[in-house]
């Protein structure tokens, strides 16, 4: 594809001074042409990346090649929750599923207005709404192009969000093809694109990069570590004094927390009381991998261990994983009490499912 961009020369005394002082032929400098190979939309691919430095023509190429698919982020409604900023045809299950798929997994934050969210949370909301196009009847399977991808967030959020998108598309929870347009090369291996157009060199490469390995260190910690995670949990902020508490560290930085309680009147039987991954690191499956590593330690010691959850991502993971088996389902009562938004304040008014960790012996 060959693209030429230009703008008119706006003549003025100062413009003439600039041209004269620096001996610049403005008509030539205000026009740029480039030619680059683009993959066919008929090819079998799911994720693409257009990358290059500022001013290299990324957005221009995306607009000319995939103009109809380029997402134009409309303003969010004021004084309303972010879940109300999505197309009315989408169910609450669709909306919260999209939020979770891009790593924005906090039910209390779903009820907040867009304006008070952090930059990282706003980015994930924008991303979820862009991808929601694919959930509508007319948008299934289409290409979604997101310009300025990860430009306004720190690099941890950028990498984690990239990995979350790739995971969602691979698993089919995001039913579209996605093209990221960005000046940041560091997200390429986390997004694992099927093709990359590098505007700095004008080259197209077809490849599938491997995401860097994520290694967590699990350490016992004191209950005071909960203070870092408490406000990100959708239930109350308390943990029982009898809890055994664990931290998950990624490159020496706390990213996940787990609290384990003994089951009353059942010897050698425990349950996960609290499991939280910090928002910047949600979307890659860190939380459940962290929990399963802890569960394996208990199982090796001859103990049984359960997790009871109402969060859609926890239930979905345990239902799919052969490491867990469902042991109890509690339906919401017909007239729930003490229910906050979405029924997340207590077990009253929400569906909870209990799973027991079976462990790796299932594969033997």
């Amino acid at each position: 594809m060959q693209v030429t961009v230009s703008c008119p020369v706006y003549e003025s005394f100062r413009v003439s001074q600039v041209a004269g002082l620096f001996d610049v032929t403005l008509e030539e400098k205000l026009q740029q042409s480039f030619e680059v190979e683009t993959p066919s939309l008929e090819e079998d691919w799911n994720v693409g990346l257009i990358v290059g430095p500022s001013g290299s023509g990324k957005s221009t190429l995306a607009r000319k090649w995939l103009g109809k698919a380029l997402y134009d982020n409309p303003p969010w409604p004021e004084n309303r929750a972010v879940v109300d900023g999505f197309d009315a045809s989408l169910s609450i299950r669709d909306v919260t599923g999209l939020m979770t798929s891009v790593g924005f997994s906090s039910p209390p934050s779903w009820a907040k207005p867009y304006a008070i969210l952090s930059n990282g949370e706003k980015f994930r909301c924008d991303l979820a709404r862009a991808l929601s196009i694919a959930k509508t009847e007319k948008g299934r399977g289409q290409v979604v192009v997101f310009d300025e991808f990860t430009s306004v967030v720190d690099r941890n959020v950028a990498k984690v969000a990239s990995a979350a998108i790739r995971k969602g598309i691979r698993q089919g929870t995001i039913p579209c093809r996605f093209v990221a347009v960005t000046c940041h090369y560091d997200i390429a291996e986390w997004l694992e694109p099927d093709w990359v157009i590098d505007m700095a060199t004008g080259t197209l490469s077809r490849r599938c990069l491997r995401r860097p390995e994520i290694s967590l260190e699990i350490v016992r910690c004191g209950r005071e570590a909960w203070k870092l995670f408490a406000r990100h949990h959708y239930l109350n902020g308390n943990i029982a004094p009898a809890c055994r508490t664990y931290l998950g560290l990624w490159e020496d930085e706390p990213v996940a927390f787990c609290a384990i309680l003994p089951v009353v009147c059942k010897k050698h039987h425990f349950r996960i009381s609290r499991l939280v991954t910090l928002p910047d690191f949600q979307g890659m499956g860190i939380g459940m991998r962290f929990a399963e590593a802890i569960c394996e330690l208990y199982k090796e010691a001859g103990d049984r261990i359960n997790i009871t959850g109402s969060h859609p991502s926890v239930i979905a993971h345990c239902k799919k994983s052969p490491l867990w088996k469902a042991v109890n389902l509690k339906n919401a009562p017909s007239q729930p009490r003490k229910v906050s938004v979405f029924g997340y304040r207590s077990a009253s008014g929400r569906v909870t499912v209990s799973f027991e960790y079976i462990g790796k012996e299932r594969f033997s």
Side-chain angles (χ1 to χ4, degrees), residues 181-251:
V181 182
T182 181
C183 61
H184 295 287
Y185 287 82
D186 62 347
I187 57 100
E189 56 189 351
W190 296 86
L191 189 62
E192 300 179 78
D194 301 304
W195 53 259
V196 178
I197 295 176
D198 188 343
M199 297 301 295
T201 59
T203 57
L204 167 68
S205 58
R206 289 177 171 83
R207 54 181 174 168
C208 186
L209 302 173
R210 292 183 62 84
R211 192 193 73 189
E213 185 179 78
I214 299 172
S215 297
L216 290 188
E217 181 184 2
I218 300 174
V219 297
R220 284 290 298 269
C221 64
R223 294 176 63 248
E224 64 275 5
W226 173 241
K227 295 176 182 178
L228 179 62
F229 297 84
R231 69 187 182 91
H232 302 295
H233 197 268
Y234 58 82
L235 297 178
N236 65 64
N238 301 320
I239 58 173
C243 278
R244 301 178 185 176
T245 50
Y246 301 83
L247 271 180
L249 304 177
W250 182 14
E251 298 178 353

Side-chain angles (χ1 to χ4, degrees), residues 51-52 61 112 115 129 157 168 173 203 248 257 259 278 302:
V51 65
L61 173 65
K112 295 177 181 178
R129 193 166 62 168
V157 173
T173 55
T203 57
F257 177 92
L278 292 179

Side-chain angles (χ1 to χ4, degrees), residues 20 29 38 68 79 90 92 118 132 138 170 185 207 235 251 288 308 332:
K29 295 299 182 181
T38 56
K68 293 183 179 179
N79 303 319
L90 298 176
I92 188 62
S118 68
S132 72
K138 294 181 180 180
R170 182 186 292 121
Y185 287 82
R207 54 181 174 168
L235 297 178
E251 298 178 353
M288 288 307 298
T308 299

